[in-house]
Amino acid sequence: GRVGLITLNRPQALNALNNQLMRELMDALEAFDKDDDIGAMVITGNEKAFAAGADVKEMAVKTTLQMMDTDHVAVFGRIRTIQKPVIAAVSGWALGGGCEVVLSCDMIIASDSAKFGQPEINLGVIPGAGGTQRLVRAVGKALAMEMILNNRALTAQEALHYGLVNRVVPVGDYLNVAILLADEIAVRAPLAVRAAKRMINHSSESFLADGLAEEKQVFYNLFASEDRKEGMQAFVEKRKPEWTGK
Ligand code: DAK
């Protein structure tokens, strides 16, 4: 019908968001946004993972300057420019950049196996694509602190309890429920739907731009640290990182 469906499809890497995947995701969203036959969109992954974060293997070898130059994950910023509603249908892992993609969507339907987390602290960095700003608005400061400072992941039921997701449904149903919800919204008055989305986002975004700019700068600063290199290298080598505070 009038629903544009986008499926993240790098199952061998739990849909880790590399450059190419992020670009293709944004291109697809923008194409649907321009398409008059589409009224709403659904982004999904597979049962095991929505996305386990930015691709650490790709990131581990980057210098700070390369990160700033290509700013590949700044592609994330393009989600904010999508005017039509975007629903995330999440099962399994939604971690790091994957959780940030979800947080940038307008509604979230979770399967009962979904898990939401911001594990960047394990790599010696912080969320760099809106996590520190959007999570606190979604679940409140206390829980956002625990999730980001101490890698606490939320189960689907916890995410529902704290207001992060709209609904939790059995794993066999989550995608259909998301598509049905998108389908219902897609046939509503297009201008009003877009205006409502814009204004609801405006309520929390007026201070967000400053926060996002600051967050990105802090991310790059941490990217220059030895601990960041150690954290990412340790992941690639499947060992525990040794932090030096440098
Ligand atoms: N990147 C690359 N590969 C990944 C990956 C990731 N994030 N997550 C999983 N994989 C790969 C694994 O390496 C493994 O591949 P092989 O070793 O078999 O080749 C395969 O997917 C299956 O993963 P596991 O064997 O680890 O599966 P398990 O079920 O045992 O564990 C897990 C699942 C999700 C707990 C584990 O895979 C895990 O901890 N993954 C990493 C999660 C993580 O740390 N994510 C946060 C990444 S940092 C920026 C903005 C934002 C960001 C960066 C910059 N700017 C504005 C510049 C975002 C940063 C992040 O997201």
Side-chain angles (χ1 to χ4, degrees), residues 12-14 16 52-57 59 67 71 73 93 95-97 100 119-120 123 128-129 219-220 235 238:
Q12 72 284 6
L14 300 180
D55 190 315
V56 184
K57 292 169 186 171
M59 236 184 348
M67 284 298 278
D71 200 9
V73 199
W93 301 107
L95 298 178
E100 290 171 306
E120 288 87 345
L123 303 171
F219 179 92
Y220 290 135
F235 174 84
K238 298 184 188 286

Side-chain angles (χ1 to χ4, degrees), residues 7-92:
T7 306
L8 307 175
N9 190 24
R10 284 189 79 206
Q12 72 284 6
L14 300 180
N15 288 337
L17 303 165
N18 63 5
N19 248 317
Q20 187 189 348
L21 181 55
M22 278 310 290
R23 257 198 323 269
E24 287 179 5
L25 168 61
M26 296 307 153
D27 289 349
L29 282 170
E30 286 166 3
F32 282 143
D33 210 29
K34 287 193 199 107
D35 184 342
D36 288 341
D37 292 332
I38 295 294
M41 297 155 233
V42 172
I43 309 176
T44 195
N46 54 55
E47 284 187 13
K48 205 167 164 211
F50 179 82
D55 190 315
V56 184
K57 292 169 186 171
E58 190 180 71
M59 236 184 348
V61 294
K62 293 257 167 79
T63 65
T64 304
L65 284 180
Q66 282 171 332
M67 284 298 278
M68 293 177 81
D69 228 22
T70 53
D71 200 9
H72 89 268
V73 199
V75 187
F76 273 98
R78 287 163 60 190
I79 299 186
R80 286 161 68 208
T81 66
I82 301 297
Q83 295 184 43
K84 296 172 188 167
V86 182
I87 297 174
V90 180
S91 185

